[in-house]
Amino acid sequence: MGENKTRLEHPPLVMPVCIVGAEVDGKPNFEAIAWVNLVDYQPHMISISSEKSHHTNKGIRENKTFSVNIPSASMAAATDYCGIYSGSKVDKSKTFSVFYGELKTAPMISECPINIECRLTQTIELFHGELFIGEIVGVYTESKYLTDNKPDIRKIDPLIFENSAPSNYWKLGEHIAKAFEIGKDYRPHPEE
């Protein structure tokens, strides 16, 4: 088993792209990040991993708030722009229509289908980056991204990042099955 496997140098992960927002020196700043994950519930917690040198980190540490905005695939160019250019050199405050929620210092992007407002609860130093963990204070969307009052992945049409060489952006494909349903009757080994 495994004799046909090739060892890769870098993990070829496939992840949704998010745009993290933070106020830096009193201005909205945005950074494209794919390293985002829900990490707990009651209260709901989310983590983002960002290189220490990134300008957005300064605002997260300063205000103890940030936003996670989920762009649609049609926003690939604007999302990539936020990942290519540093807010220390380019003013990204006018890149999007910005709004604020309860925390007042976590800029969110009106054009994104989903916006998540977060209060920083913990920062973990990594070798090259910082892992920010935030409590989710609010989640915002528009009715056009809902079906039966629930987020509809087809309507959201998230931008997907492939972390390989070269890196690429993708769109979602077809629906496969309901989670926590398809595996109920699965048997790993044939019954003897």
Side-chain angles (χ1 to χ4, degrees):
M1 290 194 15
E3 61 269 358
N4 295 329
K5 297 284 184 174
T6 299
R7 186 172 193 273
L8 301 175
E9 294 300 315
H10 302 285
L13 299 176
V14 176
M15 305 164 278
V17 180
C18 296
I19 304 173
V20 173
E23 285 271 325
V24 183
D25 300 326
K27 287 167 109 174
N29 187 67
F30 300 101
E31 170 188 9
I33 292 182
W35 297 5
V36 176
N37 197 26
L38 288 173
V39 293
D40 209 348
Y41 62 96
Q42 294 180 345
H44 288 287
M45 308 287 274
I46 194 167
S47 70
I48 60 169
S49 180
S50 178
E51 285 190 29
K52 291 176 185 175
S53 63
H54 287 185
H55 191 62
T56 306
N57 296 23
K58 177 182 174 185
I60 295 171
R61 287 191 307 270
E62 181 180 299
N63 297 297
K64 309 282 190 254
T65 62
F66 61 93
S67 68
V68 176
N69 304 274
I70 300 175
S72 62
S74 65
M75 296 177 66
T79 303
D80 200 48
Y81 170 83
C82 289
I84 293 171
Y85 298 102
S86 172
S88 65
K89 297 185 169 96
V90 174
D91 180 2
K92 294 188 249 180
S93 66
K94 304 289 188 225
T95 306
F96 307 104
S97 298
V98 175
F99 74 99
Y100 292 88
E102 178 183 322
L103 299 176
K104 308 294 185 212
T105 55
M108 291 178 274
I109 301 169
S110 295
E111 293 86 345
C112 286
I114 303 287
N115 313 99
I116 305 168
E117 183 181 22
C118 306
R119 178 183 296 113
L120 181 66
T121 60
Q122 188 176 2
T123 303
I124 299 171
E125 285 253 345
L126 305 172
F127 291 109
H128 303 286
E130 293 175 291
L131 182 71
F132 296 110
I133 300 174
E135 177 183 348
I136 296 174
V137 173
V139 179
Y140 306 88
T141 191
E142 295 177 56
S143 60
K144 67 182 179 181
Y145 299 114
L146 304 175
T147 298
D148 297 327
N149 288 326
K150 295 178 186 168
D152 187 325
I153 196 90
R154 292 165 301 205
K155 292 177 180 179
I156 294 167
D157 191 24
L159 181 62
I160 307 299
F161 177 72
E162 173 193 7
N163 183 35
S164 60
S167 297
N168 291 287
Y169 294 118
W170 294 86
K171 289 175 62 103
L172 279 181
E174 65 186 86
H175 177 260
I176 303 297
K178 285 188 176 182
F180 310 113
E181 287 289 324
I182 190 173
K184 285 183 177 177
D185 296 324
Y186 176 77
R187 300 294 175 256
H189 302 287
E191 293 181 17
E192 296 179 21

